[in-house]
Amino acid sequence: MGLDDDAREYHREEPSGKLEIATTKPTNTQRDLSLAYSPGVAAPCRDIDADPERAYEYTAKGNLVGVVSNGSAVLGLGDIGAQASKPVMEGKGVLFKRFADIDVFDVELDETDVDEFVRSVSAMEPTFGGINLEDITAPECFEIEERLREEMDVPVFHDDQHGTAIISGAALINAADIGGKDIEDLEIVFSGAGASAIATARFYLSLGARRENITMCDSSGIITEDRAESGDVNEFKREFARDVPEGGLADAMAGADVFVGLSVGGIVDQEMVRSMAENPIIFAMANPDPEIDYESAKAAREDTVVMATGRSDYPNQVNNVLGFPFIFRGALDVRATDIDEEMKRAAAEALAELARQDVPDAVVKAYGDQPLQYGPDYVIPKPLDPRVLFEVAPAVAEAAMESGCARREIDPDAYAERLEARLGKSREMMRVVLNKAKSDPKCVALAEGTDEKMIRAAYQLNEQGIADPVLLGDGDTIRAETERLGLDFEPTVVDPAASDDTERYADRLYEMRSRDGVTRTEAGDLVRTDTNYFGSVMVEEDDADALLTGLTHHYPSALRPPLEVIGAAEDTEHVAGVYMLTFKNRVIFCADATVNRDPDADTLAEVTKHTADLARRFNVDPRAAMLSYSNFGSVDDTSTRTSREAVELLHGDDEVDFPVDGEMQADTAVVEDILEDTYEFAELDDPANVLIFPNLESGNIGYKLLQRLGGAEAIGPMLVGMDEPVHVLQRGDEVKDIVNLAGVAVVDAQDE
């Protein structure tokens, strides 16, 4: 099937469409229903009647946007009417939810009269926290937005006007920076004079461009003062009329620094590009075919051409999804009355700044592993970059508070954490640990210091104040890679082959391992050539507080040096590997998943205590279950007896101050009804959040099934029970995994 048929099937599949209503409160009992509807609703209704602002407290209004259209100017389809535009508006709702967790009602109004349209939308103000106008023809869209902004006390935003303006504005900030030009000096030419072009030109003025430097062309040529005086152009185009000779687009582009295309495809040729000023900026944003295609524009010049289009198959896609979800998120969260120029400018500046930062591995993978590094081919972030939410929404919220649009103040730090929680429980949980780490950063040695990911992780750890990273490896290689990656920091590097501490570390390794068959010569070779041994001795000698390794090694080979040099903690016989699995509303710690192949009862008991301690570092009160295929003696064999004995050991340990029970099956451990109805005698008063598997095989299988089929996000493995903080990464981990484990290591070191 072709794309059209695939799209039809996609929309047709049951349930039809792309949106549904979901309840957010329990509705399982008669009491639940009486609270949700009659008679329970009476109390909040009376409160809202007395104080309308309580609607934000008692209802979903504060997170609900109306996407409103009459279908008179649907992108690429034209005037198809309200009903036919509904798939587009539902799609807009999907983007709001996917990128910013904002709920949407799409409203298609079969109304083209401006007065009636404004009256209808304005009457819906009690329902919505904001209004997103979409696909409304010009020039009516200008009047509709202006009047609704005046009449309504919630944000009104016409995305077709301002979305492209904001995103391309971010690109303009960075393109000017790359070309060594000031925005106020740029000669800017527009092809197109519709709603989007007018709004974009206005926005560029707020970024510092000068009106006398903007030339706008419509289908009849340059918009001049002579044309304006003759009545040839409408009042909105007249705003950008210039006192210049009449001419066509080619005349306007000669000597220009910037071309902004919001018109039709194929109207710019290479000769027109060659006529532009040095290092030109070309935003050819007509869809689906740009005014000039990417390859032709790049090939027309030998100097630097910063090229952006509206297409996803070329660099620098100007995509409105980078704007509206996050702008509304920030506006809703401060209960803004408007989305003013300051808020829009803050969004563009935040996007521009984000493009200059190191790009997460997950984003690079999502775009086919193409290089994403600040420069001519990367001046705006990618839509799938989750950091856009954390950068743009707070910037918009702060701008609203400063400009007076906000009806409530928010704490920026707490707000950033709430935003992270919207994208998943794992981010919320890691924020707890990373905040602790930032309160007292420690020195973390990164064993595979020449690896690109380790260098990028070191940059982020340093930039965010999580840790003081030390990269182990050849200094020249590390510094050259840092420069290639465009990372603006001076890494701390220790080269084992040239360090003043190498011989001292060799002596110490020999002292520790001489009775295990290691000669002094071998000890010297190990610390000089194997950063795992060098880093392990470095931590053991207190020259670093923690060690991370394993990115390019098999887990057992990476774990061996720390075990030989650092070993288990005092009064501890066994270490273990723990994964934290985060679901939408639940966190579970799974152990042991990486170290102990066939543990006895003592090992299981020890692993349980270590894992409970780890849970508390994430501010989770541990409730432990010893897993088995048996429930409290229903099967009696060697395996079940081992788990049962471990529980007895823990129950008899005065230091164990958390509930633990077993042996029990997995569903017994995590389903409240089974625990309460069938095994009311169990120590657990709530489902378990620490799951202790009977052996390594089951632990590894279990956490991977939960991760892949259960939709959990996994953080780890976190090594517990070591005498000093050491964590072994999985081969192929991403930079964020390194940063997360480094944060855990810092908190470990703080506890030490």
Side-chain angles (χ1 to χ4, degrees):
M1 290 193 299
L3 179 62
D4 287 350
D5 288 335
D6 287 343
R8 291 186 181 100
E9 186 60 31
Y10 174 85
H11 286 79
R12 180 188 298 126
E13 185 179 353
E14 290 293 333
S16 301
K18 300 186 285 278
L19 300 173
E20 68 176 5
I21 300 296
T23 59
T24 59
K25 299 294 189 296
T27 55
N28 300 319
T29 67
Q30 178 61 38
R31 177 171 170 76
D32 290 340
L33 295 177
S34 69
L35 293 173
Y37 195 53
S38 180
V41 290
C45 287
R46 286 193 295 266
D47 289 352
I48 295 171
D49 182 43
D51 178 8
E53 284 295 299
R54 301 292 288 273
Y56 288 96
E57 180 182 344
Y58 289 137
T59 76
K61 176 175 180 173
N63 196 50
L64 185 63
V65 167
V67 174
V68 184
S69 179
N70 61 9
S72 58
V74 178
L75 182 65
L77 299 174
D79 184 359
I80 60 175
Q83 184 91 335
S85 74
K86 187 171 178 63
V88 180
M89 304 312 131
E90 283 190 355
K92 196 85 172 187
V94 169
L95 298 179
F96 266 109
K97 188 66 176 178
R98 162 64 176 81
F99 289 101
D101 195 28
I102 293 173
D103 296 318
V104 161
F105 288 159
D106 60 289
V107 180
E108 294 75 32
L109 294 176
D110 190 10
E111 182 60 71
T112 57
D113 181 80
V114 170
D115 292 335
E116 288 301 312
F117 191 95
V118 169
R119 186 194 64 78
S120 298
V121 177
S122 180
M124 292 187 288
E125 181 172 335
T127 301
F128 297 111
I131 297 292
N132 182 98
L133 298 173
E134 193 76 16
D135 292 346
I136 302 170
T137 192
E140 289 86 344
C141 62
F142 293 109
E143 182 180 354
I144 287 172
E145 185 193 42
E146 184 176 347
R147 287 176 55 181
L148 286 173
R149 288 180 66 185
E150 291 175 357
E151 294 182 19
M152 300 183 75
D153 204 27
V154 297
V156 177
F157 184 82
H158 183 206
D159 189 42
D160 298 314
Q161 289 186 55
H162 308 298
T164 300
I166 292 166
I167 312 310
S168 68
L172 183 68
I173 293 171
N174 282 339
D177 173 69
I178 290 167
K181 301 179 180 183
D182 293 327
I183 290 180
E184 65 178 13
D185 297 328
L186 295 175
E187 289 285 345
I188 304 172
V189 173
F190 278 81
S191 173
S196 185
I198 297 290
T200 300
R202 289 172 176 172
F203 186 65
Y204 287 5
L205 294 177
S206 77
L207 294 179
R210 292 186 292 187
R211 190 179 301 274
E212 60 267 28
N213 290 347
I214 294 178
T215 302
M216 188 168 289
C217 302
D218 61 11
S219 58
S220 299
I222 298 173
I223 299 173
T224 64
E225 288 188 358
D226 287 343
R227 288 183 61 195
E229 291 172 2
S230 69
D232 184 40
V233 295
N234 63 40
E235 60 180 299
F236 302 103
K237 295 182 182 181
R238 197 175 303 136
E239 182 180 340
F240 290 96
R242 288 191 66 180
D243 185 14
V244 296
E246 293 188 7
L249 180 60
D251 300 308
M253 288 181 64
D257 296 288
V258 183
F259 168 80
V260 182
L262 290 161
S263 52
V264 295
I267 63 172
V268 174
D269 58 33
Q270 288 185 314
E271 191 57 41
M272 296 162 75
V273 172
R274 282 191 281 268
S275 75
M276 295 178 71
E278 182 182 9
N279 298 327
I281 299 166
I282 300 174
F283 297 164
M285 297 180 286
N287 255 329
D289 299 315
E291 285 80 0
I292 181 171
D293 66 84
Y294 181 85
E295 292 87 357
S296 297
K298 283 285 194 176
R301 311 271 305 221
E302 293 186 357
D303 56 358
T304 300
V305 177
V306 177
M307 174 77 171
T309 70
R311 295 178 56 132
S312 61
D313 50 350
Y314 292 117
N316 299 325
Q317 182 192 17
V318 177
N319 190 329
N320 286 14
V321 78
L322 278 168
F324 66 84
F326 316 106
I327 293 168
F328 268 99
R329 180 76 277 157
L332 291 173
D333 290 338
V334 294
R335 296 181 191 169
T337 58
D338 191 13
I339 295 175
D340 61 16
E341 206 65 23
E342 289 84 353
M343 295 161 72
K344 290 183 279 187
R345 190 165 57 247
E349 291 169 351
L351 285 169
E353 177 58 32
L354 180 57
R356 305 184 188 199
Q357 299 176 19
D358 187 45
V359 182
D361 294 332
V363 178
V364 176
K365 288 180 180 177
Y367 289 91
D369 291 318
Q370 59 180 287
L372 298 177
Q373 186 175 326
Y374 181 60
D377 287 337
Y378 183 71
V379 296
I380 41 178
K382 294 292 189 179
L384 292 178
D385 191 332
R387 300 172 302 164
V388 178
L389 176 63
F390 312 137
E391 298 294 333
V392 176
V396 170
E398 189 170 345
M401 290 188 287
E402 291 175 357
S403 70
C405 282
R407 280 180 288 197
R408 73 168 181 174
E409 298 283 320
I410 58 173
D411 175 73
D413 293 334
Y415 181 50
E417 293 181 19
R418 291 204 307 274
L419 289 175
E420 284 196 298
R422 286 185 177 277
L423 289 191
K425 195 72 173 175
S426 65
R427 289 179 176 273
E428 180 184 357
M429 300 304 299
M430 278 311 308
R431 182 51 51 195
V432 171
V433 167
L434 295 179
N435 283 344
K436 289 180 182 178
K438 290 178 181 180
S439 69
D440 183 19
K442 300 294 183 182
C443 176
V444 178
L446 305 177
E448 295 131 315
T450 58
D451 187 271
E452 174 188 323
K453 291 182 181 178
M454 282 294 195
I455 296 170
R456 290 168 53 208
Y459 169 74
Q460 292 188 24
L461 292 168
N462 181 76
E463 188 79 1
Q464 298 176 39
I466 296 169
D468 299 322
V470 176
L471 293 162
L472 305 184
D474 179 71
D476 291 339
T477 301
I478 292 171
R479 280 182 277 272
E481 185 70 1
T482 301
E483 184 175 350
R484 184 189 70 80
L485 293 170
L487 302 177
D488 185 20
F489 88 122
E490 185 62 38
T492 301
V493 178
V494 175
D495 185 352
S499 171
D500 294 338
D501 295 315
T502 299
E503 292 306 312
R504 176 166 64 90
Y505 288 177
D507 289 340
R508 179 60 177 149
L509 181 61
Y510 174 62
E511 178 185 344
M512 300 175 70
R513 302 292 297 165
S514 59
R515 290 187 177 273
D516 293 290
V518 177
T519 67
R520 176 59 179 77
T521 299
E522 289 172 334
D525 289 341
L526 286 172
V527 296
R528 273 190 294 272
T529 61
D530 190 332
T531 54
N532 286 323
Y533 277 102
F534 186 95
S536 297
V537 181
M538 190 178 187
V539 172
E540 199 274 337
E541 287 286 277
D542 293 329
D543 293 333
D545 299 301
L547 172 68
L548 255 64
T549 184
L551 188 64
T552 60
H553 294 78
H554 285 294
Y555 193 90
S557 62
L559 179 59
R560 187 176 302 110
L563 283 177
E564 292 177 353
V565 175
I566 296 172
E570 187 177 355
D571 299 326
T572 296
E573 296 293 330
H574 303 92
V575 300
V578 181
Y579 277 93
M580 181 175 74
L581 299 179
T582 61
F583 301 83
K584 185 175 182 180
N585 295 308
R586 178 180 291 191
V587 176
I588 290 175
F589 295 84
C590 295
D592 174 13
T594 61
V595 180
N596 299 287
R597 185 180 297 274
D598 193 18
D600 58 18
D602 288 328
T603 304
L604 288 176
E606 199 170 278
V607 167
T608 304
K609 291 194 289 184
H610 292 326
T611 308
D613 288 341
L614 177 66
R616 285 183 166 135
R617 286 176 210 157
F618 287 87
N619 291 352
V620 173
D621 293 327
R623 299 184 300 274
M626 209 71 64
L627 299 185
S628 175
Y629 64 94
S630 166
N631 274 319
F632 303 102
S634 62
V635 177
D636 185 25
D637 60 20
T638 302
S639 173
T640 60
R641 281 195 295 270
T642 300
S643 297
R644 208 173 307 142
E645 289 168 13
V647 172
E648 292 172 1
L649 290 171
L650 291 164
H651 284 174
D653 189 334
D654 293 337
E655 294 182 357
V656 175
D657 58 353
F658 56 89
V660 55
D661 215 333
E663 82 287 11
M664 67 179 75
Q665 295 176 1
D667 55 349
T668 303
V670 299
V671 178
E672 185 174 6
D673 289 346
I674 299 178
L675 270 174
E676 289 185 354
D677 297 345
T678 308
Y679 304 105
E680 69 281 354
F681 57 82
E683 291 277 328
L684 302 180
D685 52 2
D686 283 304
N689 52 28
V690 171
L691 304 182
I692 307 301
F693 289 84
N695 54 46
L696 179 60
E697 184 176 28
S698 63
N700 195 269
I701 292 170
Y703 100 79
K704 288 186 176 179
L705 282 174
L706 286 169
Q707 180 187 10
R708 300 300 181 183
L709 298 182
E713 291 188 61
I715 295 174
M718 293 170 275
L719 207 56
V720 294
M722 294 289 292
D723 195 39
E724 300 285 352
V726 175
H727 292 293
V728 180
L729 299 153
Q730 296 278 46
R731 286 202 302 176
D733 270 353
E734 297 179 0
V735 172
K736 72 177 180 65
D737 300 313
I738 303 171
V739 171
N740 285 344
L741 278 185
V744 174
V746 169
V747 174
D748 290 344
Q750 291 171 348
D751 291 345
E752 292 287 334

